Amino acid sequence: MNTIKGTDFKEMLLSGAAHLSNRHDAIDALNVFPVPDGDTGTNMSMTFTSGVKEAIQACTDDLSLLAKTLSKGLLMGARGNSGVILSQIFRGFYQSLDGKTELNAADLAAAFVNGSRVAYKAVMRPVEGTILTVIREASAAGEQYVREHPEATIEEVFSCILDESRISLANTPELLPVLKEVGVVDSGGTGLVVILEGFKAAMDGHPFVMEEKESTTAKAAMEIENEEFGYCTEFILRLSEQGMVTFTEEKLKKALARLGESIVVVQDDDLVKVHVHTLTPGDALNYAQRYGEFVKLKIENMQEQHNTILQENAAAAEEKEFALIAVAAGEGLKKLFEEYRVDVVISGGQTMNPSTEDFVAAIQKIHARHIFIMPNNSNIILAAQQAAAVMENQDIRVLQTKSIPQGLSACIMFNPEVSADENEAEMTAALQHVKTGQITYAIKDTTFDGMEIVAGDYMGIADKSIVISTPNKMDACLRLLDHLIDQESEIVTVIAGEDATDEEIDQIRTYIEEQFGVETDIQKGGQPVYSFIFGIE
C-alpha cells in the first residue's frame, strides 16, 4: 500500500473504534486509584465513536472531508481528559492533511507529528508518562523512519509508529512513579495504542469488528441523543423494469426499519415516495437505489434544526448579566446547586464525564453576557474548557473546581452585584479554603502510597490521597473526619450518597458536633459511587 485514500481511512476508523470498544473495560481497569470510577477506556471509546459516527455519516470518500468531520465529531464528543487529548491529536492530524485526497507514507508520519504538537499545546501542564508521551514518541519514530527510508510503504511506516507506541506505553511506569507503584501502564496511552492496532488491522485486511455485548459503550455512543433527531430523509424513486418485478413496500419498510424510524413508504405505479428518520441516510439511499433511480430527494439534519431553534429561542430571550453551569450527579446535589443560583446542572461526575457537546448544549440553553462553569471534577475541566473555546464569541469562564464542595463554595461566593472579573477572583479564591474528603470502596487489591488496600475495603480519600482503608464504612468516615478537621475549621458540609442511611448520617453529625464543636451542614446529595463527600472550610 503506497497511499491511504478516503475509503481506506473509513475502514481504519471503523476498525479502531471497534477494537477500542471491545477493550474499553480492560482500559478502565488500569485506573491507578482502586476506586469504582476508572473510566478512561469508556471516555476514549465514547469520544472516538462519536467522531467516527460523524465521519461515516458524512457519506463521502473524500479523505480531507472525512478527517475534518472526524475531528469535529471528536471535539464535540470528547469526554474526560483522555478524550479531550485524543480529540486534539486528531485535530492536528486533520490540519496536516487538509486538502489532500490521499496520504503517502511521509504525509502519514507528518500528520501524527502534528497531532502530537496540537495535543501538547492543548494541555496547560503536560505530564510525561501519559498518552501525550506515547503519541510524541511514536510519531517522532515514524518521522525518523521516513527520513531514513524515503521509499518506505505506508504499512512499513505505520508498523514503526505502532511498534514505538507499544514501547513507549511499556515505559510509562518509568516516567510516572504512581504507575510503577500500582503495577500498570498508562490507561490513556493504552487507549491510543488500541486505536492504532485497529488501524493496522484494517490495513492488513483483517479489521476488528465490534463484539456483541448487552451494554456496548460504542453502541451506546452511536445511539445517544441523536436518536431523537438524525437526518430526515425523503425521496421519490422511479422503479426500473427489474425494480417493478422485485420491489415491495413491505421489503423496503423492513430494510429501512433496521436503519431508522418514522418510516413511510407509498407506491403509486412506478413511483415510490419514502420518508425515514435515520442516522445513516446514505445506507437508506444505497438500498433504495437497487430498485430504480431517484426523481427527487431531500436530506435535512434534524439535530442542526433543533440547535437552530434553541439558538433562536435563546436570542429571543432577555439577556442576563450572569449565568452559572455546574456538573453534579444525584438529584439532591442538582437541587442544591439550583438553590445556589445555578442555571443549568449537567448530570455527570465520576464514571460519567459529560462531553464537550453537553457543555455546549448547556451554554446554548441560557442567554447571558458572562457564564461561569464549575466542572467539579479534575477529569472534566478540559472538556469544559474545550466547550468554552468552541463558543468563542461568548464570555465563558471555567473555574478550576475539582470537587463538589469546591463547586458549592464557588457558588456561595458568587455575587450578581459585582463585575465578572471580581466574581471570578472571589469564586476562585474560595477554592483555596476548601478541603474535600470522600468515602468509597476499593475494587481491587493494591498498594497505593505504601498503603495496603484490599478489595471491598472502604477508603477515606483526602483531596487526591487515600489516607484510610478499612473494612468498616463508619470507621473510615470518622477517621477521615479526624484527618480533615483542624482548629481552623469552621463548617463541615456532609453530602450523603445514595447508599447512606439515616442512622449513618446521624452518627456522623453527632461525632462532628461532640468531637469538634463546628457547624455541620447535612445534605442528601444522592450521588453514586461515593457514600459520603465532606467539605471542610
Side-chain angles (χ1 to χ4, degrees):
M1 178 186 281
N2 293 317
T3 60
I4 293 176
K5 297 180 173 62
T7 51
D8 305 315
F9 191 51
K10 282 200 287 190
E11 290 299 317
M12 291 164 60
L13 293 178
L14 290 169
S15 179
H19 193 31
L20 184 57
S21 172
N22 298 341
R23 293 284 309 279
H24 81 271
D25 285 336
I27 297 171
D28 283 346
L30 293 174
N31 186 28
V32 294
F33 259 35
V35 296
D37 62 359
D39 50 11
T40 299
T42 299
N43 283 338
M44 293 187 75
S45 183
M46 295 188 76
T47 299
F48 197 64
T49 300
S50 174
V52 173
K53 178 188 70 175
E54 291 292 326
I56 299 304
Q57 285 179 359
C59 297
T60 180
D61 291 333
D62 181 278
L63 178 65
S64 181
L65 181 56
L66 278 171
K68 180 179 181 179
T69 311
L70 171 74
S71 175
K72 180 182 177 182
L74 289 170
L75 178 78
M76 299 303 289
R79 297 171 187 268
N81 294 342
S82 56
V84 172
I85 293 171
L86 183 66
S87 74
Q88 292 298 315
I89 290 172
F90 282 95
R91 180 183 176 210
F93 187 95
Y94 154 65
Q95 291 173 349
S96 180
L97 58 84
D98 187 19
K100 290 184 169 65
T101 57
E102 59 184 29
L103 290 181
N104 59 30
D107 293 331
L108 180 68
F112 278 114
V113 168
N114 198 54
S116 172
R117 290 171 181 158
V118 172
Y120 265 87
K121 288 179 182 177
V123 180
M124 185 174 295
R125 287 181 287 274
V127 176
E128 296 301 331
T130 65
I131 182 175
L132 290 170
T133 304
V134 176
I135 185 59
R136 175 175 56 78
E137 294 183 342
S139 61
E143 186 178 47
Q144 181 177 349
Y145 190 89
V146 169
R147 283 200 302 268
E148 296 174 354
H149 305 84
E151 303 302 319
T153 65
I154 286 283
E155 289 95 340
E156 289 170 340
V157 172
F158 196 83
S159 291
C160 171
I161 292 171
L162 177 57
D163 290 344
E164 185 61 32
S165 74
R166 288 168 172 158
I167 293 170
S168 179
L169 177 64
N171 191 54
T172 54
E174 302 303 319
L175 301 176
L176 265 184
V178 67
L179 297 176
K180 192 168 188 176
E181 181 183 14
V182 178
V184 297
V185 294
D186 179 65
S187 53
T190 302
L192 178 62
V193 170
V194 166
I195 292 171
L196 297 180
E197 289 174 345
F199 285 4
K200 186 62 166 61
M203 288 182 182
D204 294 340
H206 306 289
F208 288 98
V209 295
M210 200 174 297
E211 296 172 358
E212 290 294 329
K213 297 179 183 178
E214 287 188 10
S215 58
T216 303
T217 302
K219 284 186 177 179
M222 285 285 195
E223 296 168 0
I224 51 177
E225 65 282 325
N226 286 329
E227 275 189 343
E228 185 181 347
F229 304 109
Y231 297 86
C232 177
T233 306
E234 298 177 328
F235 56 85
I236 298 176
L237 185 75
R238 187 183 302 280
L239 298 175
S240 64
E241 290 185 12
Q242 181 63 29
M244 289 289 289
V245 176
T246 59
F247 175 83
T248 67
E249 290 183 26
E250 192 61 30
K251 189 185 297 184
L252 181 56
K253 285 180 180 177
K254 285 184 178 179
L256 295 177
R258 293 192 292 269
L259 302 174
E261 54 188 24
S262 300
I263 298 164
V264 178
V265 177
V266 178
Q267 182 179 4
D268 183 8
D269 293 328
D270 65 338
L271 296 179
V272 181
K273 297 180 180 179
V274 177
H275 172 278
V276 59
H277 292 175
T278 175
L279 292 174
T280 54
D283 292 343
L285 297 178
N286 288 338
Y287 183 87
Q289 200 169 20
R290 299 177 184 180
Y291 298 107
E293 295 299 328
F294 299 111
V295 176
K296 182 179 180 181
L297 63 84
K298 181 177 69 173
I299 301 174
E300 295 180 338
N301 187 327
M302 293 183 290
Q303 178 68 55
E304 288 297 322
Q305 292 176 339
H306 175 71
N307 290 343
T308 299
I309 292 171
L310 289 178
Q311 290 168 0
E312 289 174 350
N313 289 343
E318 182 180 352
E319 186 178 53
K320 300 166 54 177
E321 185 67 19
F322 298 105
L324 306 181
I325 296 173
V327 179
E331 278 303 308
L333 281 176
K334 181 177 184 292
K335 292 177 181 177
L336 184 58
F337 274 107
E338 288 173 343
E339 290 174 4
Y340 285 8
R341 293 182 290 197
V342 170
D343 297 84
V344 179
V345 179
I346 300 174
S347 180
Q350 296 295 82
T351 75
M352 46 182 176
N353 299 158
S355 66
T356 300
E357 189 167 19
D358 292 330
F359 282 106
V360 170
I363 292 166
Q364 290 175 336
K365 285 182 181 179
I366 51 186
H367 196 48
R369 293 184 182 88
H370 311 285
I371 298 174
F372 294 96
I373 298 179
M374 287 151 287
N376 301 333
N377 185 297
S378 59
N379 202 38
I380 298 176
I381 292 173
L382 275 182
Q385 291 174 333
Q386 189 154 268
V390 169
M391 308 296 286
E392 58 185 354
N393 294 326
Q394 292 183 248
D395 180 25
I396 301 168
R397 308 180 187 215
V398 179
L399 304 182
Q400 301 288 306
T401 56
K402 298 178 180 179
S403 68
I404 293 295
Q406 283 191 339
L408 293 172
S409 291
C411 288
I412 291 171
M413 295 307 297
F414 171 71
N415 181 358
E417 303 302 321
V418 302
S419 70
D421 290 343
E422 289 174 292
N423 265 311
E424 184 176 17
E426 290 295 324
M427 295 168 80
T428 300
L431 309 186
Q432 312 306 316
H433 306 293
V434 182
K435 290 186 287 186
T436 299
Q438 299 174 101
I439 299 294
T440 188
Y441 58 92
I443 58 170
K444 60 184 178 182
D445 295 344
T446 189
T447 302
F448 192 87
D449 281 345
M451 179 180 296
E452 293 292 332
I453 297 170
V454 179
D457 274 3
Y458 286 94
M459 296 178 299
I461 304 172
D463 292 316
K464 279 293 185 180
S465 299
I466 300 173
V467 295
I468 292 136
S469 180
T470 173
N472 186 279
K473 183 197 292 186
M474 292 312 298
D475 182 37
C477 288
L478 304 186
R479 288 170 59 189
L480 180 60
L481 290 168
D482 288 341
H483 180 87
L484 292 169
I485 302 174
D486 56 30
Q487 291 183 343
E488 296 181 359
S489 302
E490 297 177 354
I491 182 171
V492 177
T493 301
V494 179
I495 304 170
E498 61 184 1
D499 68 327
T501 67
D502 290 339
E503 290 77 13
E504 290 170 342
I505 294 171
D506 288 340
Q507 186 176 344
I508 288 171
R509 177 193 289 111
T510 300
Y511 185 79
I512 295 172
E513 292 174 351
E514 292 181 352
Q515 293 295 318
F516 305 104
V518 297
E519 182 182 347
T520 307
D521 179 21
I522 306 291
Q523 300 288 341
K524 291 190 176 181
Q527 71 274 3
V529 181
Y530 292 94
S531 301
F532 289 96
I533 298 174
F534 303 118
I536 291 85
E537 300 177 65

